[in-house]
Amino acid sequence: MAASSLNLLRYFYGGGERAPRKATKEALCSLLRRISSPSRRHCCSARVGTAAKEQSCLRSSDLVAIEYADLNLPNKASEELGHVRIRQHVNPLSSSFSVPARVPDWNEVFRDPTLPLMVDIGSGSGRFLMWLAKRNPGVRNYLGLEIRQKLVNRANLWIKELALSNVHFLFANATVSFNQLVSTYPGPLMLVSILCPDPHFKKRHHKRRVVQRPLVDSIVKNLMHGGQVFIQSDVLEVALDMRNQFDAEGDVLHHIDAFNQSLLCDSEGWILRNPMGIRTEREIHAELEGAKIYRRLYQKLI
């Protein structure tokens, strides 16, 4: 997909740089018609205000494929693992997830284990971290913690095929394993991300949410001075829950707008655009459905 086409999509769906001024709604719809599938359709015209004859249909998976096209993910993982059926919701309080993850040999996991580390809690398919790792070789390492084993297996096969030596994925319940893992890492912990975690909507299931006081305390304790915590959700209730817990650490964590005025926030303090350079898969899907993404970025005081 041409770069101009990718920028065009990102302009209308909230990610990346703005498209050229000449980009039109009709051009977007023409592009979407070329990449869309007749099944599971969504109407483009409702998003960009085109006439009915300019309606275009697409799936969120199409947008994910385009946004992550630079990865050129190989098919070998799919061939070895077969179709990866994913259970969307798991209970992290189950006894099967209560055993701490084994701490890996960091020298085997990363080429240089002294580099600053980013940890993504709930890394999903892993595309987000792989995209970052591919663009930052020799600069920092990336560790994905994911509670669904099949996703971890596939992600590690992908990074092996891509020959990436600065990213790794672990099957781990972050609530149980985060402190043990990051406290043994030889380099500094510079960034922790928790992006669109499982909302566990029912009140009696709120205790299953990943952002709980012990995890927050562990993140703050292990984070280097000047390190950051990036949280986001497409569910306002979940976003507020996470925000309240990290706002409570105001003696050591400040929101990024206190340090960097270039990151624009709305009137309620939510960051308007993803500062990481690319959207997560859930983010792409949610924005396609018209949902708002609620983002906060905290920095530990030096």
Side-chain angles (χ1 to χ4, degrees):
M1 180 63 63
S4 60
S5 298
L6 181 56
N7 285 339
L8 184 61
L9 281 169
R10 288 179 175 173
Y11 172 65
F12 282 101
Y13 286 96
E17 299 178 353
R18 298 182 74 85
R21 289 178 180 270
K22 293 183 179 180
T24 65
K25 298 170 184 177
E26 290 75 19
L28 175 64
C29 286
S30 175
L31 171 64
L32 294 180
R33 276 198 299 272
R34 294 200 301 272
I35 65 170
S36 64
S37 165
S39 62
R40 297 172 61 187
R41 297 186 168 186
H42 298 274
C43 179
C44 162
S45 63
R47 269 305 185 99
V48 297
T50 57
K53 65 180 180 180
E54 291 294 339
Q55 286 185 357
S56 179
C57 302
L58 73 161
R59 297 179 299 176
S60 58
S61 58
D62 295 325
L63 288 179
V64 169
I66 292 170
E67 195 137 348
Y68 285 92
D70 290 347
L71 282 179
N72 294 315
L73 290 174
N75 293 323
K76 185 175 181 180
S78 297
E79 294 171 359
E80 291 187 14
L81 296 175
H83 177 62
V84 179
R85 295 189 65 182
I86 305 166
R87 214 183 148 185
Q88 294 297 327
H89 305 287
V90 297
N91 179 8
L93 302 181
S94 170
S95 59
S96 59
F97 299 119
S98 63
V99 178
R102 183 183 65 84
V103 176
D105 182 337
W106 298 112
N107 289 289
E108 293 181 359
V109 169
F110 299 119
R111 177 177 295 173
D112 181 358
T114 66
L115 291 176
L117 179 69
M118 172 183 174
V119 177
D120 185 32
I121 295 176
S123 52
S125 75
R127 288 180 175 89
F128 176 68
L129 280 193
M130 284 184 271
W131 189 92
L132 293 173
K134 188 174 181 180
R135 277 155 183 75
N136 297 286
V139 177
R140 62 186 62 120
N141 291 327
Y142 299 87
L143 178 66
L145 304 183
E146 173 56 49
I147 203 168
R148 291 166 292 182
Q149 179 79 68
K150 289 184 179 180
L151 290 180
V152 173
N153 294 343
R154 185 179 65 180
N156 282 325
L157 280 173
W158 273 340
I159 62 175
K160 182 179 179 181
E161 290 298 306
L162 294 173
L164 295 173
S165 60
N166 63 333
V167 59
H168 185 68
F169 297 90
L170 287 175
F171 170 57
N173 182 347
T175 304
V176 174
S177 301
F178 180 86
N179 186 69
Q180 179 175 310
L181 290 170
V182 300
S183 63
T184 63
Y185 180 74
L189 177 64
M190 68 168 295
L191 176 60
V192 176
S193 59
I194 308 173
L195 309 177
C196 299
D198 194 326
H200 293 292
F201 288 109
K202 295 180 179 179
K203 187 173 182 179
R204 69 176 185 273
H205 291 163
H206 286 184
K207 59 187 177 183
R208 298 181 181 180
R209 290 178 177 175
V210 67
V211 178
Q212 305 287 346
R213 177 51 46 193
L215 179 61
V216 172
D217 290 343
S218 182
I219 291 173
V220 173
K221 178 182 72 173
N222 287 283
L223 197 65
M224 63 180 283
H225 293 291
Q228 297 179 328
V229 180
F230 178 39
I231 59 173
Q232 75 173 21
S233 178
D234 57 310
V235 180
L236 178 58
E237 178 192 346
V238 174
L240 286 172
D241 186 19
M242 294 193 292
R243 176 176 180 168
N244 290 339
Q245 298 209 49
F246 282 103
D247 279 357
E249 300 293 330
D251 55 335
V252 289
L253 290 181
H254 283 185
H255 192 251
I256 194 64
D257 56 3
F259 304 96
N260 185 352
Q261 298 296 323
S262 65
L263 281 178
L264 299 180
C265 298
D266 64 17
S267 60
E268 297 178 342
W270 302 108
I271 297 175
L272 294 176
R273 300 175 73 84
N274 190 320
M276 301 300 294
I278 192 166
R279 298 177 294 168
T280 67
E281 293 171 65
R282 175 61 197 172
E283 194 174 351
I284 292 170
H285 173 74
E287 290 190 329
L288 179 63
E289 296 292 329
K292 178 178 178 178
I293 307 297
Y294 303 92
R295 309 179 182 90
R296 297 279 286 178
L297 179 62
Y298 297 88
Q299 184 165 314
K300 189 172 180 177
L301 299 180
I302 297 175

